[in-house]
Amino acid sequence: MLILRVVARRHLPCATSACQHTRLLSTAQAREEKEILRDFTLNLPTPQPKKPKRPPFAKNLFLGKFDYEWLTYPEPQHVDRYNEFQEWLEPIERYMKTVNPKEFEETETIPSHVLQKLRELGVLGARIPGDYRGMNLLNSEYMRVLETVGTVPALGLFLLKQGVPPIDIFIKWGTVEQKLKYLPKIATGQSIATVAVTESNSGPSACDFETLATLTDCGEYWYLDGEKTFVSNASISDVFIVIGHAMQSGELEKRPETLSAFIVDRDTPGFTVLKDSIKTVGLKGFETGKIVMRAVKIPKSNIIGEIGDGAEQLLEMFRNSRHFIATQTIALLKNFQRKLTKDILPRKHFDKMLFETESAKIVFANISCSIYAIESVLYLTTAAMDIYDGQDVQLETALVEQFCVQECLKRIQESIWLVGPKACTLVEPFEQILRDAFTVSNYETSLLDTKIYSALLGLQHYGFDMADHIKKNRNPFTFPSYVFQQIFSQQGALKLHIEDYLHPSFRECAEFCDRSLFRLKDSAENLLIRSGTEVGKEHGALQRLSDIASLIYVYVAVIGRASRSYCIGHRDSFNEVKISMIMAYRLQQEVYRLSDDIKNSEYSNGDYLCRELADLHFEKKDYFAAHPLQRNY
């Protein structure tokens, strides 16, 4: 009856949820699940039903197609859920104002009393389904939690690594028994989970992992051997999801088909977490460590999913968690802006106050624009995930990551010049913010790889749809009439009529989207016609194309949010219109520059010369030019 009552409170059909689920379990297991549900209180109302999946938005931008639905800036929460979520969040916001970041910096650990308070506030189980004592927050809601906790960067990254990769793997691939055993403990903070992936000698290829899981002759146990490094939260985690190759029946070859994930409890014999954590430049308090496994014996049932699912699990983990880092950059930039304001206000610059100078005003305006843009594109992406069922946001999440990382570093770097020599001292907070921003921006995957990945995703989508068009343009002597027709039909902008879906104040901003989308489509076409299947080798052009897509996607989020704010009468909404206008001009100039570089050949934009200079450097293994004071006479 309790299961039925909980289902009824969620307005879910019992026949398709709890009843079917219970029939899958033995009597003892069902009884255990009921015990879990008995202590569970549904804190938030049921989310609104998801809408049918829409076509991929960012990928279609490469084709010049635009989904006007995204301009409405979707709201993922209905009113009741929004109000109750805000009530739940308020104690967390109040508590975070009392947390002392210096305690993390001095001890280089997360204080135990902070972890205990997060347990009490229910933060550690925020993304876990309610059936396992979690809050079952929406993606947008969890971003808000990460942003709040991220006022202490080390704590924000701890929560991200604890609450995203392991939870996603458990929910999607875990068996009912595995979920019942681990998720309730993780939700209540009794256990902390992490994922162990990286190895010292494996590089980026998962096929090179040396961690092996060997099935015993009786077929009941796995023996794990190997080492993992750069394991997040290693020193405080109790549950480790280890990625390695599963070997059975005397198989010796390591292939993607053997890559698998295994659950290892910390107290398993042969499993060791090394005491010395890996020191990082910033994020003091967030611990990264190494684990060693020597003949670690675990039950056969501790494999998550099937043998060979590890490759897909890794892909899902890296593909679906890219955008989470944006919450860290938002918190960092807001904190930096507050401290910079406090430092600037009392200072004089020659005959006037420093905050009255144009240099200071431009710096602060740029920071505000960047925060607004990152917020807009992040919450647009997560809202799409929450509202549309199975929405393809693979490209969107990558574009969010690359934009927020670049903007965070760029704004802090140019703003620190206002501080002057004080920024170099250890007694000021700016040195710590610089270290934290650098570490956050580089902790995940390489930004260069992210850009190339984003561009290739867009080009792949373009190629599927326009394969015949590319083929004919790459063979002008075979299809001369088609090529001439294309030459004389070229336009300078797309007529998408975006302004019809925005407030009239955004007419000029909509024209920027038309012109920029044409540049993106034209750049993608030029690259594929010029390089064909070899386009993956043009890293410089791919990075430029990715930046164009990122800037356009961000700007769509900005004008959609600003138009919504202006229409519903948000406080200071007119200033949001100003941000849209500032960004329209600046982003358009950047899009034009990048697209011109792509359109020009490598001999015109300097890429060819860059490669020659790099080859010379690697040949000499040092700087090659003569000193300016050196003589040869």
Side-chain angles (χ1 to χ4, degrees):
M1 289 301 296
L2 184 56
I3 295 180
L4 299 179
R5 287 202 299 272
V6 172
V7 170
R9 293 179 65 182
R10 293 180 170 193
H11 308 289
L12 295 177
C14 63
T16 59
S17 57
C19 292
Q20 288 184 352
H21 181 61
T22 305
R23 282 199 297 267
L24 295 174
L25 304 176
S26 65
T27 305
Q29 290 169 337
R31 192 159 45 243
E32 183 180 359
E33 184 179 30
K34 289 182 180 181
E35 290 299 323
I36 291 173
L37 290 169
R38 184 168 291 124
D39 296 329
F40 173 71
T41 302
L42 192 61
N43 292 314
L44 297 178
T46 306
Q48 55 192 4
K50 288 196 173 186
K51 300 178 181 179
K53 177 181 179 181
R54 299 192 66 83
F57 179 75
K59 289 180 180 178
N60 276 344
L61 294 180
F62 282 77
L63 295 167
K65 298 179 181 179
F66 195 91
D67 187 351
Y68 302 100
E69 187 74 16
W70 288 60
L71 284 175
T72 59
Y73 207 82
E75 299 174 348
Q77 300 166 304
H78 56 71
V79 176
D80 291 340
R81 187 176 177 95
Y82 169 80
N83 291 332
E84 293 196 27
F85 172 73
Q86 291 300 123
E87 291 179 9
W88 177 78
L89 187 65
E90 284 178 5
I92 302 173
E93 292 176 327
R94 288 196 302 269
Y95 174 69
M96 288 308 302
K97 292 178 181 178
T98 67
V99 176
N100 181 14
K102 291 183 179 179
E103 192 174 357
F104 292 74
E105 190 81 10
E106 293 169 356
T107 62
E108 297 191 358
T109 59
I110 299 177
S112 57
H113 64 85
V114 175
L115 281 177
Q116 180 57 33
K117 189 63 178 179
L118 293 181
R119 292 187 185 99
E120 296 172 3
L121 292 169
V123 174
L124 300 184
R127 291 186 74 245
I128 295 176
D131 291 344
Y132 305 100
R133 296 187 182 180
M135 289 291 297
N136 198 27
L137 295 187
L138 300 174
N139 289 283
S140 301
E141 293 167 343
Y142 192 65
M143 293 298 169
R144 187 71 182 90
V145 174
L146 285 176
E147 186 183 335
T148 302
V149 178
T151 52
V152 179
L155 198 57
L157 195 57
F158 154 77
L159 188 60
L160 193 161
K161 292 300 180 182
Q162 176 269 346
V164 179
I167 302 304
D168 285 349
I169 292 176
F170 268 120
I171 291 174
K172 184 168 184 178
W173 280 279
T175 64
V176 172
E177 293 80 4
Q178 289 169 345
K179 293 176 184 178
L180 285 170
K181 181 178 179 180
Y182 291 102
L183 288 182
K185 293 180 180 179
I186 296 173
T188 57
Q190 293 174 267
S191 298
I192 293 175
T194 190
V195 180
V197 177
T198 309
E199 296 184 6
S200 301
N201 302 319
S202 65
S205 175
C207 291
D208 296 331
F209 284 171
E210 297 179 357
T211 299
L212 296 179
T214 308
L215 192 65
T216 58
D217 294 336
C218 66
E220 297 297 326
Y221 300 94
W222 293 100
Y223 277 103
L224 267 66
D225 290 275
E227 298 181 7
K228 295 288 185 180
T229 186
F230 228 64
V231 181
S232 301
N233 304 320
S235 63
I236 56 176
S237 293
D238 310 284
V239 180
F240 295 78
I241 297 177
V242 179
I243 308 294
H245 289 278
M247 300 307 211
Q248 55 182 345
S249 303
E251 190 175 24
L252 297 177
E253 184 183 358
K254 294 183 292 185
R255 311 185 313 276
E257 293 80 8
T258 64
L259 205 62
S260 308
F262 302 89
I263 306 171
V264 184
D265 294 315
R266 186 188 184 96
D267 57 0
T268 306
F271 186 87
T272 306
V273 178
L274 300 185
K275 293 182 179 179
D276 296 331
S277 61
I278 300 172
K279 303 296 182 183
T280 54
V281 175
L283 299 175
K284 301 298 183 182
F286 176 74
E287 296 185 74
T288 303
K290 300 179 181 179
I291 61 173
V292 177
M293 293 165 287
R294 296 288 181 262
V296 176
K297 183 180 179 182
I298 60 173
K300 183 181 180 181
S301 59
N302 273 30
I303 189 172
I304 303 184
E306 302 294 335
I307 294 176
D309 283 347
E312 185 181 353
Q313 290 163 354
L314 280 178
L315 183 62
E316 286 281 320
M317 186 173 71
F318 289 116
R319 184 169 58 194
N320 295 338
S321 62
R322 290 177 175 275
H323 58 297
F324 284 91
I325 202 67
T327 59
Q328 299 297 98
T329 60
I330 292 171
L332 271 169
L333 283 173
K334 286 183 177 180
N335 185 40
F336 176 72
Q337 190 179 42
R338 283 191 293 267
K339 293 186 182 300
L340 188 61
T341 303
K342 185 178 179 181
D343 179 77
I344 293 298
L345 284 177
R347 290 172 54 189
K348 293 195 66 174
H349 185 73
F350 296 109
D351 60 339
K352 61 170 60 176
M353 300 303 293
L354 182 55
F355 72 88
E356 295 176 336
T357 63
E358 186 172 358
S359 298
K361 291 179 180 179
I362 291 175
V363 163
F364 277 90
N366 287 341
I367 296 175
S368 296
C369 287
S370 293
I371 294 174
Y372 187 86
I374 296 173
E375 286 180 337
S376 302
V377 73
L378 171 64
Y379 286 100
L380 174 65
T381 304
T382 56
M385 297 168 70
D386 292 330
I387 291 177
Y388 303 113
D389 188 22
Q391 182 65 29
D392 179 1
V393 291
Q394 185 178 359
L395 178 54
E396 284 84 348
T397 56
L399 296 177
V400 170
E401 179 194 9
Q402 71 180 63
F403 177 79
C404 72
V405 166
Q406 290 182 112
E407 285 296 298
C408 181
L409 287 177
K410 186 189 302 182
R411 293 304 160 224
I412 291 178
Q413 181 180 4
E414 71 176 16
S415 304
I416 210 71
W417 292 330
L418 280 179
V419 180
K422 288 200 302 182
C424 305
T425 62
L426 295 176
V427 296
E428 297 292 332
F430 302 106
E431 178 266 345
Q432 179 184 340
I433 293 175
L434 274 170
R435 287 190 286 105
D436 288 341
F438 177 81
T439 307
V440 164
S441 302
N442 292 278
Y443 188 83
E444 298 291 343
T445 54
S446 165
L447 179 61
L448 300 181
D449 291 340
T450 298
K451 288 187 175 184
I452 294 170
Y453 167 78
S454 301
L456 290 176
L457 276 178
L459 289 176
Q460 182 187 51
H461 187 73
Y462 183 93
F464 284 147
D465 200 73
M466 304 292 289
D468 188 60
H469 173 72
I470 298 298
K471 175 184 176 181
K472 290 178 178 179
N473 277 277
R474 281 179 60 81
N475 298 276
F477 296 109
T478 307
F479 306 97
S481 59
Y482 183 84
V483 173
F484 276 111
Q485 182 183 0
Q486 293 298 309
I487 292 174
F488 290 109
S489 65
Q490 288 183 353
Q491 304 174 359
L494 299 174
K495 301 300 181 182
L496 299 173
H497 304 290
I498 294 176
E499 66 276 4
D500 294 345
Y501 298 84
L502 299 168
H503 190 275
S505 304
F506 295 87
R507 180 171 297 275
E508 293 183 7
C509 301
E511 292 176 358
F512 155 71
C513 286
D514 287 346
R515 294 189 292 269
S516 297
L517 279 170
F518 172 79
R519 291 278 183 143
L520 174 63
K521 181 177 181 292
D522 189 56
S523 297
E525 180 180 310
N526 285 333
L527 263 179
L528 288 175
I529 292 174
R530 185 170 69 209
S531 303
T533 57
E534 299 295 311
V535 70
K537 298 178 181 180
E538 293 202 31
H539 288 188
L542 290 175
Q543 290 174 40
R544 296 184 184 105
L545 185 67
S546 178
D547 280 334
I548 294 174
S550 174
L551 294 175
I552 295 174
Y553 179 52
V554 167
Y555 193 67
V556 169
V558 166
I559 60 174
R561 174 188 176 186
S563 178
R564 169 181 169 272
S565 296
Y566 198 69
C567 290
I568 65 178
H570 269 178
R571 182 187 61 185
D572 295 325
S573 58
F574 184 69
N575 291 315
E576 296 185 39
V577 179
K578 294 178 182 177
I579 290 177
S580 300
M581 293 178 176
I582 292 171
M583 297 196 69
Y585 174 77
R586 293 182 179 176
L587 297 187
Q588 178 173 276
Q589 300 305 310
E590 186 68 8
V591 167
Y592 278 24
R593 181 187 68 80
L594 292 168
S595 60
D596 286 342
D597 283 346
I598 292 175
K599 192 172 184 178
N600 295 328
S601 68
E602 60 182 6
Y603 298 98
S604 300
N605 61 26
D607 284 354
Y608 177 75
L609 297 176
C610 288
R611 285 198 294 270
E612 287 190 340
L613 288 176
D615 290 340
L616 178 60
H617 168 81
F618 290 125
E619 179 184 342
K620 294 182 176 293
K621 298 181 178 62
D622 201 354
Y623 179 66
F624 50 83
H627 192 277
L629 297 180
Q630 182 178 335
R631 297 185 179 184
N632 58 357
Y633 56 87

